[in-house]
Amino acid sequence: MRLKHFFILSFFNCLVLLFCSCNDFLTIYPTDRIVDSEFWKTKGDVDQMVDGCYQSMLNYDIQERAIMWGAFRSDELVKLTNYNDNTLDNIAAVNLLPTCKYNSWGAFYKVINNCNIVLNHAQDVMAEDPEFTQGDYQVVRAQMLALRSLCYFYLVRAFRDVPYTNKSYENDSEVEPIEQSAPATVLQNCLDDLNDARAYIMRSGAYGRNDWRNWGYFTRDAVHALMADIYLWRASMTHSQADYQQAIVFSDSVINAKHAYYELNKEVDITDKKDDKYHLEEFSIAFNNLFNSDGGNTHESILEWQYNGRDNSNQALENYYYQSGNENSYSQTSILMASPIFNAIDKNADTDQGKKIYLTKNDYRFWNNVYDANNEEAQQLSIRKMVDNSGTLVDTKSTVGVAKSNSRAFREFRQNWIVYRLPDVMLIKAEALVQTAANDSDLVLKQAFDLVQAVNKRSMLKTAIDTLKYTSFKSKDEFEMLVLNERERELCFEGKRWWDLMRYCYRHMDGVDINQKLADQATWPELYKPMLNMIIRKYGSSGEGDAVSYKMKGEPFLYWPLEESETKVNKLLKQNPVYIQEKTTSKN
């Protein structure tokens, strides 16, 4: 979608979303009527618009990009071999074309503008409706600042240099071209907004027992998780110890809040009476609670996009991970598959020489994240996590994993998309701790290890004796790899892996300048070779991986090109400098 026009279209899309929300809202105005100043009269009006902003995050294009931007470019996903799609073939070969549909950022800017519209109008409602108090307004404002910040964070990670605006566009006369800002500006704006928001936003659990808003809306835990993530990202780009420390601080805020909630509610809400300070459910419970079709919104969840399968359906996740098509015509196959790194164990998994992700068959995740696990010859494996309907677990007593099932109904695909959950934040903290270590014997490495072990141990069979050993890791680099691979074992297919690999790469690059746009730099730092070696694992022995590694020479190749139509409409935009406005990839 063209940046020049997305603001106006997003305004009307917000209205449509309001009137097809999964909540029982009343239709006050016809859907073709502009919501202008006549609308902003009551607290209910504001609540409808806030819910519309969250509903706009359920857009197919956003879920699709959460998968494509955050996962497909990494080593964990490949295209189904017999699925015919030249666009996906080009992406896999790092021919990221300016004409590619996945380059469109319009869906995220729709949400951003929806948030800006609420921020522009909500304050005035206090003068119209006494029931909409200053406290109500502050909570609404905090939610919109947080949701807007998350959208910008996605855009920065996908494109690096992006237009930033906090202005709402509600009619065509207001639209104006906007130039890009460098990451330093956008990320600091997000952190400033989030720091403001966290003082007023609702704490987790404050909406009442089992209320979906505790997970479907931004809460204080979600704000702190996002802040930890942004600080970790910026620290990785700049090697800032201060930012790593902030990532630790805000991770601790989430961990401590989760512990406090557990202590307060363990006799009422919590069925799994764990005594450790993280209170992670055993995997046999967590897998069902998190990823079964009736699951989601668990104690360890922090922020999830809410799909109920009736008013909305997570069709993008369904198409890419389960079965492609639509409710009237679909295939028995998904578009994407798990790569060979999931098909067998590797005793060297936590070194830069490891080819596989898992260390042991005693890991429940080895058997349950994909179908047909333990097939050493497989070059592709069907994804099981988030798409299997049964929740049946397999373990080391089996010789092969669960065969793929297509029993889950194609219609009413109710599957929340998890943005943040507690193990993610625990491993964010562990990653930051490793980077604050002064040397290979620094005691903070033991703190990082303990966090990884807590996540890892809950996923082991009760009879397992080969869990992680602290003494097995001898250096800061080995602990860094441990955290990176534990995140893959725990968070695979959740749209995290490409960002994880980018951070890993940045931490080993010199000369990165987040204050300058890529197009304004004469040269760019080279990519870290071990990171490239991890990416090309998914190509097996085909030789394609060597070509990909050769092509990805510098920082701009980490990012998508801008959509060609955007650069034609908005002359202030500067294309990612390694791409030209033609249907080929160009290396400068």
Side-chain angles (χ1 to χ4, degrees), residues 26 60 71 110 170 175 177 248 273 275 326 352 354 360 368 371 391 450 557 560 564 577 588:
L26 297 176
Y60 183 96
K110 287 180 188 178
E170 303 175 40
V175 177
I248 294 167
K273 303 294 192 293
D275 291 328
N326 56 58
D352 58 7
T360 171
N368 294 283
Y371 292 106
D450 289 344
F557 281 100
W560 295 79
E564 186 175 59
N588 287 355

Side-chain angles (χ1 to χ4, degrees), residues 32-266:
D32 61 348
R33 181 170 179 174
I34 296 175
V35 177
D36 55 18
S37 57
E38 294 181 8
F39 177 83
W40 299 91
K41 298 294 185 183
T42 69
K43 182 179 184 296
D45 296 338
V46 178
D47 290 342
Q48 287 188 22
M49 293 300 290
V50 168
D51 189 70
C53 291
Y54 282 104
Q55 291 294 314
S56 60
M57 289 301 294
L58 308 184
N59 182 286
Y60 183 96
D61 287 348
I62 284 183
Q63 179 64 84
E64 181 180 57
R65 279 149 187 77
I67 294 169
M68 296 304 298
W69 292 356
F72 180 62
R73 291 193 66 194
S74 74
D75 55 349
E76 72 179 16
L77 292 174
V78 294
K79 188 203 75 173
L80 178 70
T81 300
N82 60 2
Y83 184 81
N84 185 23
D85 191 309
N86 289 334
T87 298
L88 294 179
D89 290 336
N90 278 322
I91 295 171
V94 199
N95 297 322
L96 302 182
L97 312 181
T99 54
C100 171
K101 69 174 184 176
Y102 299 112
N103 299 5
S104 173
W105 55 25
F108 284 93
Y109 276 111
K110 287 180 188 178
V111 181
I112 289 169
N113 195 53
N114 291 344
C115 292
N116 288 341
I117 289 172
V118 174
L119 290 168
N120 186 42
H121 289 285
Q123 188 170 16
D124 297 335
V125 176
M126 287 187 289
E128 301 285 342
D129 184 358
E131 292 189 7
F132 188 62
T133 66
Q134 178 70 23
D136 293 329
Y137 165 70
Q138 293 289 10
V139 171
V140 166
R141 179 174 177 272
Q143 288 189 58
M144 295 299 94
L145 292 176
L147 186 56
R148 185 176 72 184
S149 297
L150 176 64
C151 291
Y152 276 123
F153 189 38
Y154 268 107
L155 293 170
V156 167
R157 289 179 293 179
F159 299 100
R160 191 184 190 276
D161 310 319
V162 298
Y164 181 89
T165 182
N166 55 17
K167 177 181 178 182
S168 65
Y169 294 83
E170 303 175 40
N171 63 71
D172 200 37
S173 64
E174 296 175 342
V175 177
E176 57 187 12
I178 305 172
E179 66 178 344
Q180 293 142 291
S181 295
T185 299
V186 181
L187 294 176
Q188 189 58 54
N189 286 340
C190 291
L191 289 169
D192 290 344
D193 283 346
L194 291 166
N195 193 54
D196 192 356
R198 72 191 187 95
Y200 300 100
I201 205 150
M202 300 279 278
R203 62 174 176 81
S204 299
Y207 288 102
R209 186 180 179 189
N210 297 327
D211 191 307
W212 64 270
R213 290 173 296 180
N214 290 315
W215 302 275
Y217 278 5
F218 261 95
T219 60
R220 195 171 302 161
D221 284 354
V223 167
H224 289 162
L226 178 55
M227 293 183 77
D229 208 0
I230 293 175
Y231 274 117
L232 183 65
W233 182 267
R234 192 170 70 177
S236 300
M237 294 186 78
T238 63
H239 309 168
S240 165
Q241 288 294 304
D243 279 354
Y244 282 124
Q245 291 292 347
Q246 287 295 91
I248 294 167
V249 166
F250 286 107
S251 295
D252 275 337
S253 294
V254 176
I255 293 168
N256 293 337
K258 283 288 188 183
H259 175 63
Y261 181 87
Y262 177 89
E263 290 297 319
L264 186 64
N265 296 278
K266 62 183 178 181

Side-chain angles (χ1 to χ4, degrees), residues 202-464:
M202 300 279 278
R203 62 174 176 81
S204 299
Y207 288 102
R209 186 180 179 189
N210 297 327
D211 191 307
W212 64 270
R213 290 173 296 180
N214 290 315
W215 302 275
Y217 278 5
F218 261 95
T219 60
R220 195 171 302 161
D221 284 354
V223 167
H224 289 162
L226 178 55
M227 293 183 77
D229 208 0
I230 293 175
Y231 274 117
L232 183 65
W233 182 267
R234 192 170 70 177
S236 300
M237 294 186 78
T238 63
H239 309 168
S240 165
Q241 288 294 304
D243 279 354
Y244 282 124
Q245 291 292 347
Q246 287 295 91
I248 294 167
V249 166
F250 286 107
S251 295
D252 275 337
S253 294
V254 176
I255 293 168
N256 293 337
K258 283 288 188 183
H259 175 63
Y261 181 87
Y262 177 89
E263 290 297 319
L264 186 64
N265 296 278
K266 62 183 178 181
E267 302 302 326
V268 180
D269 287 346
I270 311 299
T271 58
D272 188 31
K273 303 294 192 293
K274 282 277 189 102
D275 291 328
D276 64 78
K277 64 180 178 181
Y278 305 115
H279 314 295
L280 296 179
E281 295 176 318
E282 292 180 3
F283 185 83
S284 57
I285 299 172
F287 188 81
N288 277 322
N289 287 350
L290 286 164
F291 306 122
N292 187 271
S293 59
D294 294 322
N297 297 343
T298 72
H299 167 62
E300 77 175 56
S301 296
I302 297 171
L303 181 63
E304 300 185 14
W305 302 140
Q306 307 287 309
Y307 293 89
N308 66 14
R310 300 182 304 276
D311 306 288
N312 51 58
S313 178
N314 197 340
Q315 190 178 345
L317 185 147
E318 179 183 39
N319 283 344
Y320 282 94
Y321 289 175
Y322 182 49
Q323 300 177 50
S324 61
N326 56 58
E327 63 182 30
N328 297 315
S329 174
Y330 62 92
S331 71
Q332 295 294 309
T333 58
S334 60
I335 295 173
L336 301 181
M337 304 280 282
S339 80
I341 68 173
F342 293 96
N343 67 4
I345 64 167
D346 187 341
K347 294 297 184 181
N348 297 314
D350 282 335
T351 72
D352 58 7
Q353 302 302 314
K355 299 297 183 183
K356 312 299 181 185
I357 286 295
Y358 295 102
L359 291 157
T360 171
K361 292 180 182 178
N362 278 321
D363 193 329
Y364 264 125
R365 298 167 300 186
F366 171 73
W367 297 101
N368 294 283
N369 283 338
V370 298
Y371 292 106
D372 300 318
N374 205 31
N375 183 349
E376 295 193 22
E377 302 302 318
Q379 293 301 302
Q380 299 186 335
L381 294 164
S382 293
I383 296 166
R384 184 168 188 252
K385 185 180 185 179
M386 293 183 283
V387 299
D388 189 83
N389 198 42
S390 68
T392 301
L393 296 175
V394 292
D395 56 36
T396 191
K397 299 181 182 66
S398 305
T399 57
V400 68
V402 174
K404 184 177 181 182
S405 168
N406 290 313
S407 63
R408 188 167 184 172
F410 190 85
R411 285 187 170 185
E412 299 184 359
F413 196 83
R414 182 219 176 281
Q415 186 66 55
N416 287 356
W417 179 256
I418 300 175
V419 183
Y420 289 111
R421 56 188 178 96
L422 183 56
D424 186 0
V425 175
M426 292 167 64
L427 295 173
I428 285 174
K429 180 183 177 182
E431 186 174 325
L433 281 168
V434 170
Q435 297 310 311
T436 63
N439 52 56
D440 292 343
S441 59
D442 195 318
L443 291 179
V444 300
L445 295 174
K446 180 61 166 62
Q447 297 177 42
F449 174 82
D450 289 344
L451 286 156
V452 174
Q453 189 181 51
V455 174
N456 183 274
K457 193 172 183 179
R458 74 90 172 256
S459 297
M460 295 294 151
L461 294 163
K462 291 182 179 180
T463 58

Side-chain angles (χ1 to χ4, degrees), residues 446-504:
K446 180 61 166 62
Q447 297 177 42
F449 174 82
D450 289 344
L451 286 156
V452 174
Q453 189 181 51
V455 174
N456 183 274
K457 193 172 183 179
R458 74 90 172 256
S459 297
M460 295 294 151
L461 294 163
K462 291 182 179 180
T463 58
I465 59 174
D466 54 351
T467 52
L468 299 172
K469 301 290 193 298
Y470 175 66
T471 54
S472 299
F473 303 91
K474 307 299 184 183
S475 69
K476 181 176 175 178
D477 288 344
E478 289 182 4
F479 282 102
E480 179 183 33
M481 190 63 64
L482 167 67
V483 177
L484 180 65
N485 284 342
E486 187 63 30
R487 283 184 63 84
E488 176 64 344
R489 290 186 282 266
E490 178 68 22
L491 303 170
C492 61
F493 319 131
E494 295 182 41
K496 305 286 184 180
R497 180 62 170 177
W498 180 246
W499 314 135
D500 291 353
L501 291 175
M502 284 182 69
R503 290 195 311 274
Y504 174 66

